[in-house]
PDB file of all heavy atoms in Angstrom:
ATOM      1  N   LEU A  78     121.255-176.705 -21.783  1.00 98.00           N
ATOM      2  CA  LEU A  78     120.496-177.932 -22.030  1.00 98.00           C
ATOM      3  C   LEU A  78     120.627-178.463 -23.453  1.00 98.00           C
ATOM      4  O   LEU A  78     120.688-177.695 -24.414  1.00 98.00           O
ATOM      5  CB  LEU A  78     119.015-177.670 -21.770  1.00 98.00           C
ATOM      6  CG  LEU A  78     118.571-177.618 -20.311  1.00 98.00           C
ATOM      7  CD1 LEU A  78     117.136-177.105 -20.228  1.00 98.00           C
ATOM      8  CD2 LEU A  78     118.670-178.997 -19.675  1.00 98.00           C
ATOM      9  N   PHE A  79     120.658-179.778 -23.557  1.00 98.00           N
ATOM     10  CA  PHE A  79     120.558-180.388 -24.882  1.00 98.00           C
ATOM     11  C   PHE A  79     119.716-181.657 -24.804  1.00 98.00           C
ATOM     12  O   PHE A  79     119.570-182.257 -23.744  1.00 98.00           O
ATOM     13  CB  PHE A  79     121.939-180.705 -25.468  1.00 98.00           C
ATOM     14  CG  PHE A  79     122.619-181.887 -24.841  1.00 98.00           C
ATOM     15  CD1 PHE A  79     122.543-183.149 -25.425  1.00 98.00           C
ATOM     16  CD2 PHE A  79     123.337-181.757 -23.665  1.00 98.00           C
ATOM     17  CE1 PHE A  79     123.177-184.249 -24.848  1.00 98.00           C
ATOM     18  CE2 PHE A  79     123.978-182.855 -23.079  1.00 98.00           C
ATOM     19  CZ  PHE A  79     123.895-184.097 -23.675  1.00 98.00           C
ATOM     20  N   ILE A  80     119.167-182.018 -25.943  1.00 98.00           N
ATOM     21  CA  ILE A  80     118.429-183.275 -26.056  1.00 98.00           C
ATOM     22  C   ILE A  80     119.361-184.275 -26.727  1.00 98.00           C
ATOM     23  O   ILE A  80     119.917-184.009 -27.799  1.00 98.00           O
ATOM     24  CB  ILE A  80     117.134-183.071 -26.865  1.00 98.00           C
ATOM     25  CG1 ILE A  80     116.191-182.145 -26.076  1.00 98.00           C
ATOM     26  CG2 ILE A  80     116.459-184.407 -27.172  1.00 98.00           C
ATOM     27  CD1 ILE A  80     114.925-181.767 -26.821  1.00 98.00           C
ATOM     28  N   GLN A  81     119.544-185.396 -26.082  1.00 98.00           N
ATOM     29  CA  GLN A  81     120.555-186.367 -26.535  1.00 98.00           C
ATOM     30  C   GLN A  81     120.370-186.789 -27.987  1.00 98.00           C
ATOM     31  O   GLN A  81     121.337-186.853 -28.751  1.00 98.00           O
ATOM     32  CB  GLN A  81     120.493-187.585 -25.612  1.00 98.00           C
ATOM     33  CG  GLN A  81     121.646-188.554 -25.743  1.00 98.00           C
ATOM     34  CD  GLN A  81     121.403-189.780 -24.875  1.00 98.00           C
ATOM     35  OE1 GLN A  81     120.250-190.159 -24.637  1.00 98.00           O
ATOM     36  NE2 GLN A  81     122.471-190.387 -24.386  1.00 98.00           N
ATOM     37  N   SER A  82     119.137-187.048 -28.408  1.00 98.00           N
ATOM     38  CA  SER A  82     118.961-187.543 -29.780  1.00 98.00           C
ATOM     39  C   SER A  82     119.184-186.453 -30.829  1.00 98.00           C
ATOM     40  O   SER A  82     119.272-186.752 -32.017  1.00 98.00           O
ATOM     41  CB  SER A  82     117.592-188.197 -29.959  1.00 98.00           C
ATOM     42  OG  SER A  82     116.580-187.261 -29.708  1.00 98.00           O
ATOM     43  N   LEU A  83     119.282-185.190 -30.376  1.00 98.00           N
ATOM     44  CA  LEU A  83     119.654-184.136 -31.321  1.00 98.00           C
ATOM     45  C   LEU A  83     121.174-184.065 -31.486  1.00 98.00           C
ATOM     46  O   LEU A  83     121.683-183.284 -32.285  1.00 98.00           O
ATOM     47  CB  LEU A  83     119.112-182.768 -30.863  1.00 98.00           C
ATOM     48  CG  LEU A  83     117.588-182.591 -30.897  1.00 98.00           C
ATOM     49  CD1 LEU A  83     117.194-181.207 -30.382  1.00 98.00           C
ATOM     50  CD2 LEU A  83     117.051-182.782 -32.313  1.00 98.00           C
ATOM     51  N   VAL A  84     121.871-184.884 -30.722  1.00 98.00           N
ATOM     52  CA  VAL A  84     123.329-184.967 -30.844  1.00 98.00           C
ATOM     53  C   VAL A  84     123.689-186.438 -31.112  1.00 98.00           C
ATOM     54  O   VAL A  84     124.170-187.148 -30.230  1.00 98.00           O
ATOM     55  CB  VAL A  84     124.038-184.452 -29.557  1.00 98.00           C
ATOM     56  CG1 VAL A  84     125.544-184.346 -29.765  1.00 98.00           C
ATOM     57  CG2 VAL A  84     123.476-183.099 -29.132  1.00 98.00           C
ATOM     58  N   PRO A  85     123.406-186.919 -32.326  1.00 98.00           N
ATOM     59  CA  PRO A  85     123.545-188.362 -32.598  1.00 98.00           C
ATOM     60  C   PRO A  85     124.979-188.878 -32.461  1.00 98.00           C
ATOM     61  O   PRO A  85     125.196-190.087 -32.424  1.00 98.00           O
ATOM     62  CB  PRO A  85     123.019-188.502 -34.035  1.00 98.00           C
ATOM     63  CG  PRO A  85     123.043-187.135 -34.618  1.00 98.00           C
ATOM     64  CD  PRO A  85     122.879-186.175 -33.474  1.00 98.00           C
ATOM     65  N   GLU A  86     125.941-187.960 -32.361  1.00 98.00           N
ATOM     66  CA  GLU A  86     127.330-188.368 -32.146  1.00 98.00           C
ATOM     67  C   GLU A  86     127.497-189.173 -30.850  1.00 98.00           C
ATOM     68  O   GLU A  86     128.440-189.952 -30.725  1.00 98.00           O
ATOM     69  CB  GLU A  86     128.260-187.143 -32.117  1.00 98.00           C
ATOM     70  CG  GLU A  86     128.519-186.521 -33.486  1.00 98.00           C
ATOM     71  CD  GLU A  86     127.328-185.743 -34.049  1.00 98.00           C
ATOM     72  OE1 GLU A  86     126.392-185.400 -33.282  1.00 98.00           O
ATOM     73  OE2 GLU A  86     127.322-185.481 -35.269  1.00 98.00           O
ATOM     74  N   HIS A  87     126.561-188.990 -29.903  1.00 98.00           N
ATOM     75  CA  HIS A  87     126.631-189.804 -28.677  1.00 98.00           C
ATOM     76  C   HIS A  87     126.543-191.286 -29.035  1.00 98.00           C
ATOM     77  O   HIS A  87     127.245-192.117 -28.466  1.00 98.00           O
ATOM     78  CB  HIS A  87     125.485-189.460 -27.718  1.00 98.00           C
ATOM     79  CG  HIS A  87     125.657-188.148 -27.021  1.00 98.00           C
ATOM     80  ND1 HIS A  87     125.704-188.015 -25.660  1.00 98.00           N
ATOM     81  CD2 HIS A  87     125.809-186.890 -27.515  1.00 98.00           C
ATOM     82  CE1 HIS A  87     125.866-186.738 -25.339  1.00 98.00           C
ATOM     83  NE2 HIS A  87     125.929-186.033 -26.454  1.00 98.00           N
ATOM     84  N   ALA A  88     125.638-191.591 -29.963  1.00 98.00           N
ATOM     85  CA  ALA A  88     125.448-192.990 -30.345  1.00 98.00           C
ATOM     86  C   ALA A  88     126.656-193.504 -31.130  1.00 98.00           C
ATOM     87  O   ALA A  88     127.054-194.663 -30.992  1.00 98.00           O
ATOM     88  CB  ALA A  88     124.172-193.137 -31.163  1.00 98.00           C
ATOM     89  N   GLU A  89     127.245-192.633 -31.915  1.00 98.00           N
ATOM     90  CA  GLU A  89     128.422-193.049 -32.682  1.00 98.00           C
ATOM     91  C   GLU A  89     129.600-193.329 -31.749  1.00 98.00           C
ATOM     92  O   GLU A  89     130.290-194.341 -31.875  1.00 98.00           O
ATOM     93  CB  GLU A  89     128.800-191.978 -33.713  1.00 98.00           C
ATOM     94  CG  GLU A  89     129.892-192.459 -34.656  1.00 98.00           C
ATOM     95  CD  GLU A  89     130.226-191.465 -35.766  1.00 98.00           C
ATOM     96  OE1 GLU A  89     129.607-190.381 -35.827  1.00 98.00           O
ATOM     97  OE2 GLU A  89     131.115-191.794 -36.577  1.00 98.00           O
ATOM     98  N   LEU A  90     129.791-192.427 -30.795  1.00 98.00           N
ATOM     99  CA  LEU A  90     130.892-192.625 -29.845  1.00 98.00           C
ATOM    100  C   LEU A  90     130.639-193.855 -28.987  1.00 98.00           C
ATOM    101  O   LEU A  90     131.558-194.594 -28.639  1.00 98.00           O
ATOM    102  CB  LEU A  90     131.067-191.381 -28.964  1.00 98.00           C
ATOM    103  CG  LEU A  90     132.311-191.396 -28.063  1.00 98.00           C
ATOM    104  CD1 LEU A  90     133.595-191.531 -28.870  1.00 98.00           C
ATOM    105  CD2 LEU A  90     132.369-190.151 -27.182  1.00 98.00           C
ATOM    106  N   CYS A  91     129.350-194.086 -28.673  1.00 98.00           N
ATOM    107  CA  CYS A  91     128.988-195.284 -27.908  1.00 98.00           C
ATOM    108  C   CYS A  91     129.446-196.533 -28.656  1.00 98.00           C
ATOM    109  O   CYS A  91     130.028-197.445 -28.073  1.00 98.00           O
ATOM    110  CB  CYS A  91     127.487-195.308 -27.663  1.00 98.00           C
ATOM    111  SG  CYS A  91     126.888-196.809 -26.884  1.00 98.00           S
ATOM    112  N   TRP A  92     129.222-196.585 -29.960  1.00 98.00           N
ATOM    113  CA  TRP A  92     129.661-197.754 -30.724  1.00 98.00           C
ATOM    114  C   TRP A  92     131.170-197.947 -30.621  1.00 98.00           C
ATOM    115  O   TRP A  92     131.668-199.044 -30.361  1.00 98.00           O
ATOM    116  CB  TRP A  92     129.248-197.687 -32.203  1.00 98.00           C
ATOM    117  CG  TRP A  92     129.863-198.855 -32.877  1.00 98.00           C
ATOM    118  CD1 TRP A  92     130.968-198.874 -33.661  1.00 98.00           C
ATOM    119  CD2 TRP A  92     129.476-200.219 -32.689  1.00 98.00           C
ATOM    120  NE1 TRP A  92     131.309-200.160 -33.993  1.00 98.00           N
ATOM    121  CE2 TRP A  92     130.401-201.014 -33.402  1.00 98.00           C
ATOM    122  CE3 TRP A  92     128.444-200.843 -31.981  1.00 98.00           C
ATOM    123  CZ2 TRP A  92     130.321-202.411 -33.432  1.00 98.00           C
ATOM    124  CZ3 TRP A  92     128.358-202.234 -32.012  1.00 98.00           C
ATOM    125  CH2 TRP A  92     129.283-202.998 -32.733  1.00 98.00           C
ATOM    126  N   ILE A  93     131.881-196.850 -30.808  1.00 98.00           N
ATOM    127  CA  ILE A  93     133.341-196.936 -30.735  1.00 98.00           C
ATOM    128  C   ILE A  93     133.761-197.421 -29.345  1.00 98.00           C
ATOM    129  O   ILE A  93     134.581-198.331 -29.210  1.00 98.00           O
ATOM    130  CB  ILE A  93     133.977-195.570 -31.102  1.00 98.00           C
ATOM    131  CG1 ILE A  93     133.657-195.239 -32.565  1.00 98.00           C
ATOM    132  CG2 ILE A  93     135.487-195.568 -30.836  1.00 98.00           C
ATOM    133  CD1 ILE A  93     134.072-193.843 -33.025  1.00 98.00           C
ATOM    134  N   PHE A  94     133.131-196.854 -28.323  1.00 98.00           N
ATOM    135  CA  PHE A  94     133.469-197.257 -26.946  1.00 98.00           C
ATOM    136  C   PHE A  94     133.114-198.713 -26.658  1.00 98.00           C
ATOM    137  O   PHE A  94     133.764-199.357 -25.840  1.00 98.00           O
ATOM    138  CB  PHE A  94     132.759-196.346 -25.931  1.00 98.00           C
ATOM    139  CG  PHE A  94     133.420-195.011 -25.735  1.00 98.00           C
ATOM    140  CD1 PHE A  94     132.777-194.016 -24.996  1.00 98.00           C
ATOM    141  CD2 PHE A  94     134.678-194.732 -26.251  1.00 98.00           C
ATOM    142  CE1 PHE A  94     133.375-192.780 -24.791  1.00 98.00           C
ATOM    143  CE2 PHE A  94     135.291-193.493 -26.060  1.00 98.00           C
ATOM    144  CZ  PHE A  94     134.630-192.512 -25.325  1.00 98.00           C
ATOM    145  N   ASN A  95     132.093-199.235 -27.326  1.00 98.00           N
ATOM    146  CA  ASN A  95     131.748-200.651 -27.137  1.00 98.00           C
ATOM    147  C   ASN A  95     132.965-201.535 -27.358  1.00 98.00           C
ATOM    148  O   ASN A  95     133.119-202.577 -26.729  1.00 98.00           O
ATOM    149  CB  ASN A  95     130.671-201.091 -28.134  1.00 98.00           C
ATOM    150  CG  ASN A  95     129.287-200.731 -27.662  1.00 98.00           C
ATOM    151  OD1 ASN A  95     129.023-200.710 -26.462  1.00 98.00           O
ATOM    152  ND2 ASN A  95     128.397-200.437 -28.593  1.00 98.00           N
ATOM    153  N   CYS A  96     133.798-201.096 -28.275  1.00 98.00           N
ATOM    154  CA  CYS A  96     134.961-201.904 -28.626  1.00 98.00           C
ATOM    155  C   CYS A  96     136.134-201.663 -27.679  1.00 98.00           C
ATOM    156  O   CYS A  96     137.187-202.273 -27.819  1.00 98.00           O
ATOM    157  CB  CYS A  96     135.338-201.628 -30.086  1.00 98.00           C
ATOM    158  SG  CYS A  96     133.917-201.879 -31.163  1.00 98.00           S
ATOM    159  N   PHE A  97     135.931-200.784 -26.700  1.00 98.00           N
ATOM    160  CA  PHE A  97     136.944-200.547 -25.668  1.00 98.00           C
ATOM    161  C   PHE A  97     136.378-200.860 -24.285  1.00 98.00           C
ATOM    162  O   PHE A  97     136.883-200.407 -23.279  1.00 98.00           O
ATOM    163  CB  PHE A  97     137.420-199.084 -25.710  1.00 98.00           C
ATOM    164  CG  PHE A  97     138.161-198.727 -26.980  1.00 98.00           C
ATOM    165  CD1 PHE A  97     137.473-198.325 -28.119  1.00 98.00           C
ATOM    166  CD2 PHE A  97     139.553-198.844 -27.036  1.00 98.00           C
ATOM    167  CE1 PHE A  97     138.149-198.013 -29.291  1.00 98.00           C
ATOM    168  CE2 PHE A  97     140.232-198.527 -28.207  1.00 98.00           C
ATOM    169  CZ  PHE A  97     139.536-198.120 -29.346  1.00 98.00           C
ATOM    170  N   THR A  98     135.266-201.611 -24.286  1.00 98.00           N
ATOM    171  CA  THR A  98     134.586-201.914 -23.027  1.00 98.00           C
ATOM    172  C   THR A  98     134.628-203.410 -22.771  1.00 98.00           C
ATOM    173  O   THR A  98     134.402-204.207 -23.689  1.00 98.00           O
ATOM    174  CB  THR A  98     133.103-201.480 -23.101  1.00 98.00           C
ATOM    175  OG1 THR A  98     133.038-200.104 -23.437  1.00 98.00           O
ATOM    176  CG2 THR A  98     132.395-201.689 -21.771  1.00 98.00           C
ATOM    177  N   SER A  99     134.881-203.764 -21.530  1.00 96.00           N
ATOM    178  CA  SER A  99     134.888-205.174 -21.174  1.00 96.00           C
ATOM    179  C   SER A  99     133.454-205.676 -20.986  1.00 96.00           C
ATOM    180  O   SER A  99     132.687-205.133 -20.185  1.00 96.00           O
ATOM    181  CB  SER A  99     135.684-205.349 -19.882  1.00 96.00           C
ATOM    182  OG  SER A  99     135.181-206.431 -19.140  1.00 96.00           O
ATOM    183  N   TYR A 100     133.119-206.714 -21.738  1.00 96.00           N
ATOM    184  CA  TYR A 100     131.788-207.312 -21.647  1.00 96.00           C
ATOM    185  C   TYR A 100     131.504-207.783 -20.218  1.00 96.00           C
ATOM    186  O   TYR A 100     130.431-207.560 -19.672  1.00 96.00           O
ATOM    187  CB  TYR A 100     131.706-208.477 -22.649  1.00 96.00           C
ATOM    188  CG  TYR A 100     130.523-209.374 -22.465  1.00 96.00           C
ATOM    189  CD1 TYR A 100     129.260-208.976 -22.884  1.00 96.00           C
ATOM    190  CD2 TYR A 100     130.665-210.623 -21.860  1.00 96.00           C
ATOM    191  CE1 TYR A 100     128.167-209.793 -22.707  1.00 96.00           C
ATOM    192  CE2 TYR A 100     129.576-211.452 -21.680  1.00 96.00           C
ATOM    193  CZ  TYR A 100     128.325-211.043 -22.095  1.00 96.00           C
ATOM    194  OH  TYR A 100     127.251-211.840 -21.913  1.00 96.00           O
ATOM    195  N   GLY A 101     132.526-208.411 -19.608  1.00 96.00           N
ATOM    196  CA  GLY A 101     132.356-208.912 -18.235  1.00 96.00           C
ATOM    197  C   GLY A 101     132.022-207.794 -17.257  1.00 96.00           C
ATOM    198  O   GLY A 101     131.147-207.940 -16.405  1.00 96.00           O
ATOM    199  N   GLN A 102     132.700-206.656 -17.428  1.00 95.00           N
ATOM    200  CA  GLN A 102     132.455-205.525 -16.531  1.00 95.00           C
ATOM    201  C   GLN A 102     131.004-205.024 -16.668  1.00 95.00           C
ATOM    202  O   GLN A 102     130.375-204.660 -15.679  1.00 95.00           O
ATOM    203  CB  GLN A 102     133.453-204.389 -16.838  1.00 95.00           C
ATOM    204  CG  GLN A 102     133.667-203.436 -15.675  1.00 95.00           C
ATOM    205  CD  GLN A 102     134.703-202.336 -15.979  1.00 95.00           C
ATOM    206  OE1 GLN A 102     135.364-202.346 -17.020  1.00 95.00           O
ATOM    207  NE2 GLN A 102     134.850-201.398 -15.062  1.00 95.00           N
ATOM    208  N   LEU A 103     130.493-205.055 -17.905  1.00 97.00           N
ATOM    209  CA  LEU A 103     129.099-204.630 -18.117  1.00 97.00           C
ATOM    210  C   LEU A 103     128.106-205.553 -17.414  1.00 97.00           C
ATOM    211  O   LEU A 103     127.146-205.094 -16.805  1.00 97.00           O
ATOM    212  CB  LEU A 103     128.760-204.613 -19.613  1.00 97.00           C
ATOM    213  CG  LEU A 103     129.245-203.448 -20.438  1.00 97.00           C
ATOM    214  CD1 LEU A 103     128.687-203.562 -21.858  1.00 97.00           C
ATOM    215  CD2 LEU A 103     128.809-202.121 -19.824  1.00 97.00           C
ATOM    216  N   THR A 104     128.345-206.850 -17.506  1.00 96.00           N
ATOM    217  CA  THR A 104     127.389-207.794 -16.892  1.00 96.00           C
ATOM    218  C   THR A 104     127.426-207.695 -15.364  1.00 96.00           C
ATOM    219  O   THR A 104     126.490-208.117 -14.708  1.00 96.00           O
ATOM    220  CB  THR A 104     127.671-209.257 -17.300  1.00 96.00           C
ATOM    221  OG1 THR A 104     129.004-209.593 -16.897  1.00 96.00           O
ATOM    222  CG2 THR A 104     127.539-209.448 -18.800  1.00 96.00           C
TER     223      THR A 104
END
Side-chain angles (χ1 to χ4, degrees):
L78 283 170
F79 74 96
I80 294 175
Q81 192 185 29
S82 61
L83 292 178
V84 188
E86 286 73 16
H87 286 239
E89 188 176 0
L90 188 59
C91 174
W92 175 258
I93 296 173
F94 281 171
N95 277 328
C96 306
F97 294 86
T98 304
S99 149
Y100 167 76
Q102 203 178 353
L103 282 185
T104 59

